[in-house]
Amino acid sequence: MSAASPAAPLTRRALLRTAFTAAVLAGTGAALAPVLRARRPRQTLTPAPLAEETYRGRHIAVDVAGVRIDGRPLHVMRRADGSYLSGINHFQSYPTPLELARAAVDELGTTQLALAAPHHG
C-alpha cells in the first residue's frame, strides 16, 4: 500500500467552490485597496515662501497658497487693478500681499486669526 493516494477527480461542486472563493478574495482585495492606499503616508511638498518675515512679533508668510499670519490663513482677494484686499479690512487695498499682511497685523493687534477660513453663502 502506498502512502499517497491518487488525487480525487475534480467535481463540479469543488470547481464552483474554488471559483467562488477566488472571486470573494478578489472582490475583498479590490474593495480594501483604496483604504490600504490611503493609510500610506503621503509626501507633501510645502511651497517655499515668496516672502517671510516677523512683523511686530507676528510671523508673516506669503506663498503661492496664500498669506498666513502665525500659521493661520488670511483671506486675501485680488482686485482687477492688481492690488489686494483682505477680510480684515475690505475698504483699503495694498499693492502687495506682504504689505496687506502687515496692515492686517496692525489691525489685529494681539488678536489671532480664526483657524477656519470664512465661508460665503
Side-chain angles (χ1 to χ4, degrees):
M1 236 184 183
S2 71
S5 63
L10 269 177
T11 62
R12 182 176 173 179
R13 178 180 285 181
L15 183 64
L16 289 174
R17 186 181 315 139
T18 303
F20 177 76
T21 303
V24 167
L25 289 175
T28 302
L32 289 178
V35 174
L36 295 175
R37 258 194 309 270
R39 292 185 66 200
R40 284 190 215 151
R42 291 185 179 173
Q43 180 182 9
T44 57
L45 298 175
T46 304
L50 302 173
E52 189 170 7
E53 71 175 38
T54 300
Y55 177 74
R56 295 192 175 193
R58 308 290 287 272
H59 180 259
I60 297 173
V62 179
D63 58 30
V64 294
V67 177
R68 289 183 315 281
I69 299 174
D70 294 333
R72 296 172 183 232
L74 173 66
H75 183 68
V76 175
M77 296 162 278
R78 183 99 190 243
R79 293 176 41 128
D81 66 359
S83 63
Y84 298 86
L85 41 102
S86 73
I88 301 296
N89 184 350
H90 286 285
F91 305 109
Q92 186 172 357
S93 60
Y94 300 89
T96 67
L98 186 58
E99 291 180 49
L100 172 87
R102 288 180 191 139
V105 166
D106 291 339
E107 186 72 28
L108 286 169
T110 59
T111 307
Q112 289 286 328
L113 288 169
L115 281 175
H119 295 282
H120 298 283

